[in-house]
Amino acid sequence: MSSNSVPVPGDQTPRRGNRLTRAVGTFLLRLVGWRIEGRWPDLPRCVAIAAPHTSNWDFYIGICAIFALGLRVSWIGKASLFRWPYGGFMRWLGGTPVTRVPGEGVVEEVVRALDRQQHWIFGLSPEGTRKRVERWRTGFYHVARRANVPIVLTYFDYSRKTAGVGPVFRPTGDVERDLAEIRSFYEARMARYPDQF
């Protein structure tokens, strides 16, 4: 794909913005030396994961890429991100605050939201934090499996300053095998802080 153009997603894809907002997203990425690689799949509903997540810069790069691609993405984040004065802006970007309490039913809530929508992208980081984790959180996988939607693998590659769209993965139900296959797509060298991945 040419670094001068970002393909517009297909008609089934949940979209947002216009030519101007796509240009602004692309410009902001270029301002920091980044580009987009790959084409967004034409899917009406999916879970999109973004990794490796080791830096606050990932959020900036991710939001700019979403705007450059013209995508409408819903995501959840820790409640502190939604405090004044940023709360309204975070919600406008597609965010919903959650309190991280084990067993609170976030997966079920997201699946219900997906079931009510014909066009919906749910985006998140499988690590759930910028800190090093030994195991990814599995919520994204269970959401995709229960809602019967594919997982789009997206990435931040700091070694090449590229925000990329990777393959589409369809969960089989074998959680351990599927997670190992998904994780094998990502490499520590991509992360801003490789030792944190």
Side-chain angles (χ1 to χ4, degrees):
M1 179 180 97
S2 165
S3 62
N4 295 324
S5 64
V6 177
V8 176
D11 292 339
Q12 292 189 79
T13 303
R15 289 160 63 175
R16 153 185 207 168
N18 52 38
R19 188 175 294 176
L20 175 61
T21 55
R22 290 194 303 273
V24 168
T26 302
F27 171 77
L28 291 174
L29 281 174
R30 288 185 185 152
L31 198 61
V32 291
W34 280 63
R35 66 186 179 88
I36 291 179
E37 180 176 77
R39 178 181 288 274
W40 191 265
D42 194 16
L43 298 168
R45 303 191 314 152
C46 67
V47 170
I49 62 170
H53 178 38
T54 63
S55 165
N56 283 333
W57 274 100
D58 301 340
F59 182 77
Y60 170 82
I61 300 297
I63 292 297
C64 290
I66 286 168
F67 273 85
L69 288 163
L71 301 175
R72 188 178 76 244
V73 177
S74 298
W75 51 278
I76 56 176
K78 57 186 179 181
S80 61
L81 288 174
F82 295 83
R83 293 185 187 140
W84 191 88
Y86 306 110
F89 180 64
M90 292 297 186
R91 286 178 177 85
W92 178 78
L93 289 174
T96 300
V98 292
T99 304
R100 296 178 183 178
V101 177
E104 67 178 1
V106 173
V107 168
E108 290 75 15
E109 188 176 329
V110 173
V111 170
R112 281 195 302 272
L114 258 174
D115 285 342
R116 290 191 300 266
Q117 304 292 327
Q118 290 185 345
H119 296 85
W120 207 65
I121 299 170
F122 176 61
L124 75 165
S125 161
E127 294 108 317
T129 179
R130 296 181 312 277
K131 298 172 186 168
R132 182 179 175 83
V133 295
E134 294 307 315
R135 290 179 58 85
W136 281 3
R137 294 176 184 226
T138 58
F140 77 92
Y141 180 89
H142 294 299
V143 166
R145 179 77 176 148
R146 292 182 197 176
N148 194 29
V149 298
I151 301 168
V152 178
L153 310 187
T154 70
Y155 56 91
F156 306 111
D157 189 342
Y158 281 82
S159 69
R160 298 186 303 123
K161 289 196 169 183
T162 302
V165 181
V168 174
F169 185 89
R170 298 191 182 271
T172 68
D174 186 334
V175 180
E176 293 304 319
R177 187 184 71 184
D178 286 356
L179 287 177
E181 186 173 340
I182 290 168
R183 189 160 176 164
S184 72
F185 174 74
Y186 298 94
E187 299 176 39
R189 63 158 186 82
M190 295 174 164
R192 176 161 186 167
Y193 302 110
D195 60 328
Q196 292 288 90
F197 180 62

